[in-house]
Amino acid sequence: MCGIVGAVAQRNITPILLEGLKRLEYRGYDSCGVALHVDGKLLRARSIARVADLESQVNATHLAGFTGIAHTRWATHGAPSSDNAHPHFSRERIALVHNGIIENHDELRAELKTAGYQFTSQTDTEVIAHLVDHLYGGDLFDTVQQAVKRLTGAFAIAVFCRDEPHRVVGARRGSPLVVGIGQGENFLASDALALAGTTDQIIYLEEGDVVDLQLQRCWIVDADGRAVQREVKTVHAHTGAAELGPYRHFMQKEIFEQPRAIADTLEGVTSIMPELFGDKAFGIFKQIDSVLILACGTSYYAGLTAKYWIESLAKVPVSVEIASEYRYRDSVPNPNTLVVTISQSGETADTLAALKHARAQGMPHTLTICNAATSAMVRECELAYITRAGIEVGVASTKAFSTQLVALFLLALALAQIKGRLTDEQEAAQVKALRHLPSALSAVLALEPQIIAWADDFARKENALFLGRGLHYPIALEGALKLKEISYIHAEAYPAGELKHGPLALVTEEMPVVTVAPNDALLEKLKSNMHEVRARGGQLYVFADADSHIVPSEGIHVIRLPEHYGLLSPILHVVPLQLLAYHTALARGTDVDKPRNLAKSVTVE
């Protein structure tokens, strides 16, 4: 969601800015733009199409310069339009880009209008540009420090001034921003990936930091205006992982990468030990008597699955909260709770805010399950397990979800061990099952041709129900989310036992009902629920284990998974649901990797 790239150099930086935007396209956006300092003037190009269109504009006008900023925007204030696209100018002197949301923009807008400023957009970002210009006293770095003190909300900004060539100033509060250090040149970006191939020397700015970038200088002050030194880290962003290869879409590629992603996430795991989650894990796990999981979207469904695992294996009570809701309600804090956050990017604004709220409530023990080792979430938590899904470009999460599940299952086992509920024999059996997961997933992926046939039926529908029971109810939720995200079919998921309490009213012969049917203790109950659907003329599409004895018949379509996988069954059963969503979207002709209105990394509230 929204991307920033900035640079100050002694060479033409236009290709660097455009390439950085291309690397950030996976985050989701609806407009883009670039601004440069050219011969004492500010020049820009903006587009409400893709970065490739922006590049064509830039090439056609031969736009080039040594100092500049660029941006991909995901609309919050104001519809996608050229006027609302970044960068924003103020009086042809200040150029600025912004990620985040400014909550007091109306108040500032009124003040600046009184001061004579004309607004040409509906964005909160233009307010910041005019505020910086209004406060400008000849030193951009000092001015930005003054300006950010007036802002309420979350932001990362990059700004430069017509009157100060070879200078870019950045600031962050609540949104990520990194500095790239070069030889006689320096860079800004919202993600280190944007700078891959340009520099691998990265500084992660901390909350409240303001940075002054010049050719030979990188000067940082903290929120109190004190000069600080931030560690320079060598970060190797794996650009090759973002290449499509032989696949039609990144989502398809990422579905098929799951065996490797899980194998990588389990690399080195030969036994269960708390230290998998950090050096302090043993002592912390000993102290805790409950778990609070905070997450959003797909990660929230991973947390719901983990609740079943942790309570079953470790007998530790678990609460799972939607992060955006948790921070705004009265809750009952317990200092012996392990607060677990789950995030693919590690920069999810709602989850970060919920984490800080939990700590402020007096719950200091924190752990994150995250796919980005250098993210804010990892830095904020005491403990971490870094999944190794690699770059996930498709907005609809697939391999990030399955690797989160693997990490959460390891957490359940580690807590069970600490609580004395995991024997050596059980540990060996579970580790063996985990190590076999990549092979088992490969066998599930071989079902793709059968799923394609179902997708042709689904492509003609506008509604669908998903059913699961127990441990597989969150997987039904995830399946419904995937279908609606990328095919735009309205889909809902329910525990199958809830059918008769309302959802059964929706069932007709036009309503496909997807059923997750593993051969577990609830299978016979689930079969009864399936009969309820058939009695109302509903069409059942059943993903069943090989030994579940569910046979195809009129109105009952069955695809058999190769084997039942016990507690790890959710990781296998989610894969055919991902494939069903993908091929249904493909049949409907939607933009699979960049579904409308959605962004990959949700860095605003």
Side-chain angles (χ1 to χ4, degrees), residues 304-321:
L304 289 178
T305 309
K307 175 181 173 70
Y308 285 93
W309 284 335
I310 295 170
E311 291 190 344
S312 173
L313 291 168
K315 309 302 181 189
V316 174
V318 179
S319 298
V320 188
E321 297 263 7

Side-chain angles (χ1 to χ4, degrees), residues 6-11 13 17 66-69 164-169 180 182-188 212-217:
V8 52
Q10 299 178 77
R11 55 174 167 154
I13 59 166
L17 297 179
F66 301 140
T67 302
I69 52 179
E164 298 184 61
H166 291 118
R167 191 179 208 183
V168 172
V169 175
Q183 296 294 319
E185 56 187 18
N186 289 302
F187 308 91
L188 271 179
D212 181 9
L213 294 184
Q214 301 181 38
L215 292 174
Q216 305 289 345
R217 167 187 167 105

